[in-house]
Amino acid sequence: MLVTTLYNPLPGFAPAREFVEGMNSIIYDCASYYKFPVVDLEKGFAHNEAYLIDGYRTGSVLDLMNPLRKPILPNNAGHKLIAHLITQRLSQLLTKKKQSQKSGTNRPGKLRRRLTT
């Protein structure tokens, strides 16, 4: 299971920035508690919002005033980045798992002790 952080579609609006930072802090805490790996979408989207979010203009609350396009959802490039970040994280986890299997660290403690005595 993977967990993703939230990205901020309104980085120029302080309440939105504080909300996303607070929610991401909770996400990291919960993921850590349950030992779930995290994909940091906020970091991936940071400073690239205009290219990744549909309807993004200024990053301020004024962007929400457009009745036709709310800058909330990712565009095709944003979805592609999300898929890339998730795939990259899965690849890291699989590489780490293969390395631990090669070193034999994934064996249960009782088996390891029996083999060393």
Side-chain angles (χ1 to χ4, degrees):
M1 176 170 203
L2 284 175
V3 178
T4 65
T5 62
L6 302 176
Y7 61 88
N8 185 0
L10 300 171
F13 185 51
R17 191 172 49 248
E18 292 171 9
F19 173 78
V20 170
E21 288 173 1
M23 289 302 295
N24 286 342
S25 178
I26 292 169
I27 289 169
Y28 271 107
D29 288 347
C30 291
S32 174
Y33 178 81
Y34 290 105
K35 295 179 177 40
F36 292 151
V38 178
V39 177
D40 194 347
L41 296 185
E42 182 179 27
K43 188 176 182 180
F45 272 65
H47 309 295
N48 294 307
E49 293 90 354
Y51 305 106
L52 303 170
I53 298 172
D54 192 34
Y56 183 93
R57 290 178 299 167
T58 65
S60 70
V61 72
L62 296 176
D63 288 356
L64 295 175
M65 301 304 170
N66 185 342
L68 300 176
R69 292 182 119 180
K70 305 290 186 208
I72 304 296
L73 300 175
N75 57 23
N76 287 342
H79 283 107
K80 185 176 179 179
L81 176 65
I82 292 169
H84 171 74
L85 293 172
I86 290 172
T87 303
Q88 184 180 41
R89 186 69 173 114
L90 286 172
S91 178
Q92 291 170 349
L93 293 169
L94 290 173
T95 302
K96 187 176 177 181
K97 185 174 180 177
K98 284 180 184 178
Q99 288 173 349
S100 72
Q101 286 176 345
K102 285 181 182 177
S103 66
T105 58
N106 63 337
R107 288 191 226 158
K110 287 183 180 180
L111 289 177
R112 227 176 309 155
R113 278 184 293 222
R114 283 187 196 158
L115 294 175
T116 58
T117 57

